[in-house]
């Protein structure tokens, strides 16, 4: 399929006349066309299309359809219908009143094309550039970030269901891609009876013994398919089919293959003693390779992804801001605009997203001077790195987790005086440390401070200082710059001034609520690629 970059077509005169008469005050679709038409251009999508073949529909037009579809919470079929019967949509798309539209399947194929070519952010980035040119967003100022969960639009499967459904998914893919090859590898009648209907708990046998036997059958079938696909005489492209590749991963993660006393290979389902892969590696569905199970707190458990939204939170408009845009937002109030959307697997902690988000903001020249985040995002390294980049992270940091600090009695780290030049630490009793050992802990730099047993043994403050069996105190510090920045942040967050300032972060909860209520951001339809999960 080829593309002829033409962008949004001119709105036909008859469509303009009817749309203006039907919507004298305008509508969302009409306002988007009038103000943001330049955002929906074809040229940025050129690399996703060939130069030969029949020309496809305009990617700019399809992008606008998807934006309106999301804004009105429509399915693909409903969006395709709106492009035919809604006058304001026809105006936005530059279509004749008699235009018959397009098939709904075009939208899903277009999204897949964007995902395959890593172009899921094209329209968002162009809109951000437009807002920068209009003076609605710029580097400096204040921005805030928070995350929410995204549920993958696939069934929740237990490990037995996953094993069976993975075999079924591979059979379905092979039946389409290589039917002749598949018929030569399996008993078609037997497999069709076993894997014809989808595998779910309602059809599982009630007894545990029979369920264990079924798990073994699923494993044997998966092993047979994988051996056939990876045999020397099998076509190489068979192994490149995604469902077959995922079946092999599920087989490894769910089963153990061993030899019995007679030398025969025996396959059995993994149990707790055998160990299972960690959550960030363990597949959860044969239809969405990136979805993962995750938990947050005691009451939230989901399979899917996590999305981080960053928005501006400046209250007064800039002098150069577009007058019409500011007037539309309300006198004296700058609109809060989303400047970054960052999606990760559900198992990735928030702290791992901080640096990528700030990097995205810097690359798009909308880096904030103050970045408001909750306690899941900061670390001593991130706070220091951000300061060097001109970003001050306004965020609560983790407090001292030592036994003394938790009990609110005895001497925590703040009670010790650190001399970085002489590389010694003085305790509350006036004694100095005996060892200063730079180390690596979990891949990060740290310093382990040790006091001599002879120093601590006869100290009258020993019970207030340490409960270790050796009777001496040990401290673990970060390098000087990191330690000082973290200590300063801990001290600041205890002040009323900081607490009043940090209240600004709470507003991002409202943005997330608006995005998830009545919108599709909470549910992701698997794309099989790296497409943004919104």
């Amino acid at each position: 399929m080829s593309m002829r970059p033409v962008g949004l077509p001119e709105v036909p005169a008859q469509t303009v006349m009817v749309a203006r008469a039907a919507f004298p005050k305008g509508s969302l679709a009409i306002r988007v066309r009038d103000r943001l038409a330049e955002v929906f251009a074809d040229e940025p999508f050129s690399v996703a299309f060939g130069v030969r073949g029949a020309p496809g529909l305009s990617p700019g037009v399809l992008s606008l359809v998807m934006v309106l579809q999301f804004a009105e919470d429509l399915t693909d079929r409903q969006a395709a219908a709106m492009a035919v019967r809604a006058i304001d949509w026809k105006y936005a798309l530059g279509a004749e009143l008699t235009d018959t539209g397009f098939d709904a399947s075009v939208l899903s194929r277009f999204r897949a094309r964007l995902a395959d070519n890593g172009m899921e952010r094209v329209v968002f980035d162009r809109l951000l550039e437009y807002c920068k040119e209009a003076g609605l967003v710029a580097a400096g100022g204040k921005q805030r970030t928070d995350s929410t969960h995204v549920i993958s639009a696939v069934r929740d499967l237990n490990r037995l269901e996953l094993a069976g459904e993975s075999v079924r998914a591979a059979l379905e893919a092979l039946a389409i891609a290589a039917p002749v090859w598949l018929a030569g590898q399996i008993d078609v009648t037997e497999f069709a009876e076993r894997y014809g209907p989808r595998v779910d708990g309602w059809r599982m046998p009630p007894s545990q013994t029979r369920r264990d036997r079924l798990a073994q059958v699923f494993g044997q079938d998966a092993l047979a398919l994988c051996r056939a696909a990876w045999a020397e005489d099998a076509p190489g492209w068979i192994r490149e089919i995604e469902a077959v590749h995922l079946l092999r991963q599920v087989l490894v993660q769910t089963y153990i293959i061993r030899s019995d006393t007679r030398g025969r290979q025996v396959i059995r389902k993994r149990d707790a003693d055998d160990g299972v892969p960690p959550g960030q590696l363990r597949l959860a569905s044969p239809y969405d390779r990136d979805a993962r199970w995750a938990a947050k707190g005691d009451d939230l458990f989901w399979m899917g992804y996590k999305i981080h939204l960053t928005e501006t939170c400046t209250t007064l408009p800039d002098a150069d801001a577009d007058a019409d845009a500011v007037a539309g937002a309300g006198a004296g109030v700058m609109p809060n605009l989303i400047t970054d959307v960052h999606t990760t697997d559900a198992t990735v902690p928030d702290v791992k997203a901080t640096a990528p988000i700030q990097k995205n903001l810097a690359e798009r020249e909308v880096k904030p001077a103050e970045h408001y985040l909750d306690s899941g995002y900061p670390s001593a390294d991130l706070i220091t790195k951000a300061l060097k980049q001109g970003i001050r992270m306004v965020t609560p940091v983790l407090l001292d987790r030592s036994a003394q600090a938790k009990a609110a009695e005895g001497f925590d780290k703040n009670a010790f005086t650190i001399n970085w030049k002489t590389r010694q630490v003085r305790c509350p009793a006036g004694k100095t440390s005996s060892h200063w050992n730079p180390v690596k802990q979990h891949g990060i730099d740290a310093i382990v401070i040790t006091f001599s047993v002879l120093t601590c043994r006869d100290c009258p403050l020993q019970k207030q200082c340490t409960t270790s069996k050796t009777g001496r105190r040990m401290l673990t510090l970060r390098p000087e710059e990191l330690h000082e920045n973290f200590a300063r942040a801990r001290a600041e967050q205890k002040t009323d001034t900081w607490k009043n300032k940090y209240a600004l972060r709470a507003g991002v909860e409202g943005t997330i609520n608006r995005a998830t209520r009545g919108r599709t951001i909470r549910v992701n339809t698997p794309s099989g690629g790296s497409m943004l999960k919104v």
Side-chain angles (χ1 to χ4, degrees):
M1 181 178 293
S2 64
M3 184 197 73
R4 297 174 183 172
V6 294
L8 298 183
E10 291 291 329
V11 185
Q14 190 176 14
T15 303
V16 173
M17 180 180 65
V18 175
R20 297 298 184 191
F23 298 91
K25 296 183 179 180
S27 69
L28 174 63
I30 291 175
R31 288 193 296 271
V32 169
R33 171 61 195 237
D34 289 343
R35 300 188 182 187
L36 302 175
E38 63 187 74
V39 172
F40 301 95
D42 287 343
E43 288 81 358
F45 299 96
S46 59
V47 296
F49 292 83
V51 295
R52 302 175 62 183
L57 291 175
S58 163
V61 169
L62 294 178
S63 298
L64 178 53
V65 170
M66 290 197 299
V67 169
L68 296 176
Q69 174 188 7
F70 179 81
E72 300 191 21
D73 195 20
L74 304 177
T75 64
D76 285 353
R77 195 174 298 277
Q78 290 170 332
M82 287 290 283
V84 176
R85 69 188 183 204
I87 299 299
D88 58 339
W89 277 49
K90 284 185 176 293
Y91 178 95
L93 303 177
E96 296 282 357
L97 294 178
T98 55
D99 190 283
T100 56
F102 52 85
D103 189 82
S105 63
V106 171
L107 293 174
S108 62
R109 293 200 297 269
F110 180 59
R111 282 194 294 268
R113 185 179 291 269
L114 295 183
D116 292 340
N117 290 274
M119 306 187 72
E120 59 274 7
R121 290 184 63 105
V122 167
V123 173
F124 177 84
D125 290 340
R126 286 184 62 83
L127 180 58
L128 185 60
E129 286 297 321
Y130 174 87
C131 292
K132 285 168 55 181
E133 292 173 2
L136 297 174
V137 62
K142 302 174 181 179
Q143 295 185 35
R144 53 197 178 194
T145 299
D146 203 2
S147 65
T148 188
H149 62 284
V150 179
I151 303 171
S152 182
V154 293
R155 286 189 299 139
D156 294 347
L157 303 173
N158 59 38
R159 294 176 65 217
L160 177 57
E161 292 170 336
L162 175 61
E165 191 64 22
S166 297
V167 177
R168 180 173 177 268
L171 290 171
E172 293 282 355
L174 289 169
I176 296 173
V180 176
W181 178 87
L182 179 63
Q185 306 299 325
I186 65 171
D187 185 330
V188 176
T189 303
E190 179 183 351
F191 273 63
E193 180 180 356
R194 188 178 302 152
Y195 298 104
R198 71 179 189 177
V199 179
D200 60 42
W202 295 102
R203 295 185 176 91
M204 295 291 178
S207 71
Q208 186 60 46
T209 301
R210 294 178 62 189
R211 292 169 77 93
D212 291 342
R213 172 56 188 160
L214 184 60
Q216 188 174 14
V217 171
F218 288 159
Q220 291 171 343
D221 292 344
L223 181 60
L225 275 178
C226 288
R227 281 179 172 170
W230 269 266
E232 292 184 0
D233 59 345
W237 58 267
I238 292 287
R239 297 185 285 275
E240 297 177 4
I241 298 175
E242 183 178 39
V244 176
H245 181 70
L246 293 181
L247 175 63
R248 189 185 191 190
Q249 287 185 257
V250 171
L251 177 64
V252 172
Q253 294 180 358
T254 310
Y255 292 93
I256 289 181
I257 303 173
R258 291 177 177 170
S259 298
D260 61 11
T261 55
R262 298 182 180 180
R264 298 175 301 180
Q265 282 193 333
V266 178
I267 185 171
R268 67 176 179 83
K269 190 167 175 282
R270 288 179 180 269
D271 55 30
D273 294 333
D274 300 315
V276 294
Q280 64 266 31
L281 300 178
R282 190 164 61 248
L283 293 177
S285 170
Y287 305 107
D288 191 345
R289 67 171 183 264
D290 297 322
R292 295 291 185 270
W293 282 106
K296 185 175 182 179
D298 298 328
D299 54 357
L300 179 57
F301 187 56
W302 81 99
M303 179 177 69
Y305 306 86
K306 189 184 292 185
I307 189 168
H308 303 260
L309 299 180
T310 302
E311 69 168 359
T312 59
C313 49
T314 303
T315 55
L316 295 176
D318 296 335
D320 297 331
D322 181 86
D324 292 336
V326 174
V333 177
M334 192 65 141
N336 294 337
L337 301 177
I338 294 177
T339 54
D340 187 70
V341 180
H342 184 70
T343 309
T344 67
D345 292 343
T347 57
V348 177
D350 290 350
V351 69
K352 296 292 185 181
T354 306
I357 291 172
Q358 292 177 347
K359 180 182 178 182
N360 288 341
L361 296 175
E363 289 177 349
R364 291 166 176 79
E365 298 180 351
V366 290
K367 180 177 63 177
E370 292 184 349
H371 195 182
Y372 292 74
L373 310 109
D374 66 24
S375 60
Y377 288 92
S379 70
D381 300 81
L382 291 170
I383 291 174
T384 301
K385 182 179 178 181
L387 282 173
K388 293 179 179 179
Q389 296 174 347
I391 302 175
R392 185 170 182 270
M393 292 172 59
V394 183
T395 171
V397 299
L398 295 178
L399 300 177
D400 189 349
R401 306 305 297 171
S402 65
Q404 294 83 355
K406 289 180 181 180
E409 59 183 27
F411 303 120
D412 59 15
K413 290 181 182 179
N414 291 331
F416 291 77
T417 303
I418 306 170
N419 190 322
W420 299 97
K421 292 183 178 181
T422 61
R423 300 176 61 160
Q424 288 185 318
V425 174
R426 184 176 297 276
C427 74
K431 305 297 183 180
T432 57
S433 58
S434 57
H435 296 89
W436 177 288
N437 300 315
V439 297
K440 284 276 189 181
Q441 293 185 342
H442 306 291
I444 62 176
D445 294 326
I447 302 169
V448 176
I449 310 298
T450 308
F451 285 82
S452 170
V453 175
L454 298 177
T455 300
C456 295
R457 180 184 299 165
D458 299 325
C459 180
L461 304 178
Q462 183 190 38
K463 293 183 178 180
Q464 297 174 262
C465 191
T466 182
T467 57
S468 70
K469 294 182 179 180
T470 59
R472 64 178 180 178
R473 181 65 184 266
M474 297 181 65
L475 299 173
T476 301
L477 308 176
R478 298 302 310 278
E480 181 178 3
E481 185 179 17
L482 304 182
H483 177 85
E484 296 295 343
N485 288 335
F486 212 59
R488 188 182 305 111
R490 280 175 173 167
E492 285 181 353
Q493 71 186 48
K494 296 178 182 179
T495 65
D496 292 337
T497 301
W498 184 93
K499 292 177 183 178
N500 293 332
K501 185 176 186 178
Y502 183 67
L504 185 62
R505 191 214 68 88
V508 73
E509 302 286 354
T511 300
I512 288 180
N513 184 58
R514 290 182 63 186
T516 57
R517 181 171 296 179
R519 298 289 186 265
T520 56
I521 196 173
R522 258 298 150 71
V523 180
N524 160 58
T525 301
S527 65
S530 60
M531 186 174 182
L532 186 66
K533 309 297 181 181
V534 298

